[in-house]
Amino acid sequence: MSFARGSLLSSSIFRKQLVALTGLVMVGFILGHMAGNLLIFLGPNIFNDYADKLASLGELLWIIRTGLVISILMHIYFTAKLTRENSKARRTRYEVYTPSADNKFARMTMIYSGILLFCFLILHLTDFTLAEKEGAASVLGAQKLRLFGLVWNSFLNPWRDLVYILAVCSVGLHLSHGIQSFIQTIGFNHPRYTPWILKASVILGIIVAVGFSSIPVYVMVRQHTIGY
Amino acid sequence: MAKTISVTLKVWRQKDAHAPGRLVTYQMNNIDIDMSFLEMLDIVNQGLELKGEDPIAFDHDCREGICGSCGSVVNGHAHGPEAETTLCQLHMRRFKNGDVIVIEPWRAEAFPVIKDLVVDRSAFDRIIAAGGFISVRTGSAPEAHSVPVPKENADLAMDAAQCIGCGACVAACPNASAMLFVSAKVSQFALLPQGQPERRSRVLKMVTQMDNEGFGNCSNHYECEAACPKGISVSNIARMNRDYLCAGLTSA
């Protein structure tokens, strides 16, 4: 698909702003998702109730899901386009290139952390969202604990834990650059607040990585100490 | 007796725009540390000319850090490792005895190499021609006090107007984006009353021209700000982003 030259959708800035806005939608989702997931610390009843409430949203849930899918597709479409243009803008690489700005690892790896977390997203959806929640995989200590049991049993596999922790770390890495990038791209910059926004972006990335990682770690530690 | 050092230079040599280039090694001994970087290159060239070889082509003019002509990527840093310093104001005392110094031209498809370290930066001129000016009536100068300017805006406009158009922002950007240059030029008008009548059309035209020249897209790495010899702030990019959004979504 190509857009008319000079039109908004062909402009580098407007396309970046669409990437920023769709990114914000997903940041909102991730924070909500994390808050919900952390309910697992409060036991199977509260966690399963929360899952039931989400499922009972009906049409609203489908509106949210549609919004998220559109956001993800737009985010990927425009970043793919921008990344291709960026590599075309410098065909001959430097023999020596020394980046000097802050948080350069997260910045230089945005496209890779993005690809990684998209692959993870598919794995994650088949793991939990699309999985059978009443079957044998949900049984914990002779009790059928539905989604709680499913999550618990999944995280008893150390390889799965490793994949999940690596994946949520890449989410955190992506956000540590992405959140402040959203604010700059949308046009907000202030001598007093911008330094804090840069810090807050990194801190939020760490919170997301640690918050999600805490669940598989908790399951493993608890299983090996008191058992379920 | 002045202190001297020996350095190994690896300089990008490219015969013309179409020939393939390569790094050529030059061993330089007895380099006075009080020499500027360009004076050191002058010594290299003197030696090359005496041997009947082609001297290294590099851009330079004022050698005072204000014209924006000079600039190469030195050991991966645009204008070399010194902050807020043009290449001509970089001195050899910044280097140690035995250092290997890799010197490359600005690398961007929008800045094609003409020869060795010299690149064609006329893409910047075309961006300015697209809207980097104000259409004023001719005639006698108006009374200065008739157009009041807030002090804060005057300061920010002057900060933006410090841009010398050297292209280090493009060279340092991992995406070869020209956003810092264009945003500085957009900002210096957007901040002043004289720039208001054409504010929306200016940002739309200059960004369109920037995109057409084949620069990359800004992904907020802020390498441009770190490399800029005039310390132009990326807050100008944010200003251009919001001006562009407003101008693009509203009609005049």
Side-chain angles (χ1 to χ4, degrees):
Chain A
M1 204 189 320
S2 65
F3 304 100
R5 277 202 178 273
S7 80
L8 264 189
L9 278 175
S10 74
S11 110
S12 57
I13 294 182
F14 191 69
R15 288 188 302 191
K16 272 156 37 61
Q17 287 166 336
L18 288 177
V19 171
L21 272 175
T22 51
L24 182 74
V25 170
M26 288 183 275
V27 170
F29 165 74
I30 284 171
L31 292 179
H33 185 39
M34 185 176 72
N37 282 10
L38 291 177
L39 292 175
I40 204 162
F41 287 100
L42 301 178
N45 293 336
I46 294 177
F47 185 72
N48 283 336
D49 283 353
Y50 160 71
D52 291 341
K53 272 213 186 80
L54 272 189
S56 71
L57 289 176
E59 286 97 27
L60 185 62
L61 186 66
W62 282 104
I63 292 170
I64 294 171
R65 281 178 173 165
T66 310
L68 282 170
V69 169
I70 291 172
S71 292
I72 289 170
L73 293 179
M74 280 177 73
H75 198 79
I76 292 173
Y77 175 74
F78 285 112
T79 35
K81 225 172 161 53
L82 292 166
T83 307
R84 236 189 50 203
E85 285 175 8
N86 288 348
S87 53
K88 273 202 294 195
R90 179 175 291 136
R91 287 209 180 87
T92 319
R93 317 301 300 182
Y94 287 108
E95 301 282 333
V96 182
Y97 179 66
T98 323
S100 45
D102 296 332
N103 201 13
K104 51 182 167 261
F105 181 72
R107 284 171 189 171
M108 301 302 278
T109 54
M110 281 304 271
I111 189 73
Y112 306 110
S113 55
I115 291 169
L116 201 67
L117 70 92
F118 180 71
C119 296
F120 167 71
L121 177 71
I122 293 167
L123 172 81
H124 187 55
L125 287 177
T126 55
D127 255 6
F128 296 130
T129 314
L130 304 174
E132 174 56 53
K133 294 170 189 75
E134 309 281 343
S138 70
V139 177
L140 247 183
Q143 266 183 295
K144 267 200 170 178
L145 292 178
R146 298 161 59 221
L147 185 62
F148 182 90
L150 184 71
V151 171
W152 194 279
N153 284 325
S154 304
F155 284 144
L156 291 179
N157 178 351
W159 289 108
R160 187 182 297 268
D161 291 353
L162 190 71
V163 169
Y164 265 75
I165 290 172
L166 284 178
V168 295
C169 285
S170 81
V171 175
L173 195 68
H174 204 73
L175 294 193
S176 72
H177 173 66
I179 292 169
Q180 61 83 27
S181 191
F182 160 80
I183 290 170
Q184 167 84 0
T185 300
I186 223 70
F188 181 85
N189 190 300
H190 187 281
R192 186 174 300 150
Y193 305 121
T194 298
W196 288 102
I197 289 168
L198 289 169
K199 284 195 192 88
S201 187
V202 174
I203 292 169
L204 213 65
I206 294 171
I207 289 176
V208 166
V210 171
F212 278 110
S213 299
S214 69
I215 296 166
V217 171
Y218 167 68
V219 170
M220 280 305 246
V221 170
R222 169 134 187 188
Q223 189 71 22
H224 287 102
T225 51
I226 32 182
Y228 190 76
Chain B
M1 184 68 187
K3 200 183 161 206
T4 61
I5 55 171
S6 298
V7 290
T8 307
L9 303 180
K10 290 186 173 184
V11 187
W12 186 261
R13 300 303 308 266
Q14 184 172 336
K15 204 164 166 281
D16 56 48
H18 309 292
R22 66 192 178 94
L23 287 177
V24 177
T25 306
Y26 301 96
Q27 179 61 42
M28 295 303 296
N29 300 321
N30 296 322
I31 293 294
D32 189 326
I33 59 161
D34 292 330
M35 271 181 199
S36 75
F37 198 83
L38 298 189
E39 282 167 341
M40 182 273 295
L41 286 181
D42 290 338
I43 303 284
V44 179
N45 279 347
Q46 200 171 25
L48 288 175
E49 281 178 45
L50 287 173
K51 282 194 280 183
E53 288 176 32
D54 198 20
I56 302 162
F58 62 90
D59 256 329
H60 62 106
D61 191 11
C62 75
R63 297 205 178 194
E64 291 181 329
I66 53 169
C67 76
S69 292
C70 69
S72 296
V73 173
V74 176
N75 287 345
H77 297 282
H79 286 298
E82 198 88 65
E84 292 192 27
T85 306
T86 55
L87 192 63
C88 62
Q89 291 296 298
L90 178 71
H91 287 78
M92 294 310 292
R93 66 183 81 96
R94 190 67 175 70
F95 298 92
K96 293 194 303 289
N97 194 33
D99 274 359
V100 176
I101 304 174
V102 180
I103 312 171
E104 296 175 78
W106 292 166
R107 294 215 185 276
E109 294 312 301
F111 286 167
V113 173
I114 297 171
K115 187 181 180 180
D116 298 338
L117 303 174
V118 180
V119 298
D120 177 1
R121 285 171 288 190
S122 55
F124 272 9
D125 299 339
R126 291 187 291 272
I127 293 172
I128 294 296
F133 51 82
I134 51 170
S135 308
V136 287
R137 65 174 182 90
T138 53
S140 55
E143 158 63 31
H145 287 303
S146 63
V147 187
V149 180
K151 162 85 170 113
E152 196 177 86
N153 285 11
D155 288 350
L156 289 171
M158 283 302 286
D159 288 348
Q162 278 204 75
C163 170
I164 51 177
C166 65
C169 44
V170 175
C173 175
N175 309 328
S177 165
M179 287 283 278
L180 191 66
F181 167 78
V182 180
S183 68
K185 299 304 175 191
V186 163
S187 287
Q188 71 188 35
F189 294 116
L191 285 158
L192 295 175
Q194 292 86 346
Q196 299 313 309
E198 292 159 297
R199 185 169 180 172
R200 287 177 181 176
S201 61
R202 175 183 304 112
V203 68
L204 292 175
K205 283 179 191 162
M206 289 179 79
V207 169
T208 303
Q209 187 63 36
M210 173 184 83
D211 291 345
N212 291 345
E213 294 291 347
F215 291 104
N217 305 293
C218 172
S219 51
N220 302 326
H221 289 239
Y222 310 137
E223 294 295 340
C224 51
E225 186 183 72
C228 179
K230 296 295 151 185
I232 306 286
S233 163
V234 292
S235 63
N236 291 300
I237 296 181
R239 182 177 297 106
M240 180 162 80
N241 285 340
R242 62 176 180 264
D243 270 21
Y244 187 86
L245 188 60
C246 292
L249 294 180
T250 56
S251 55

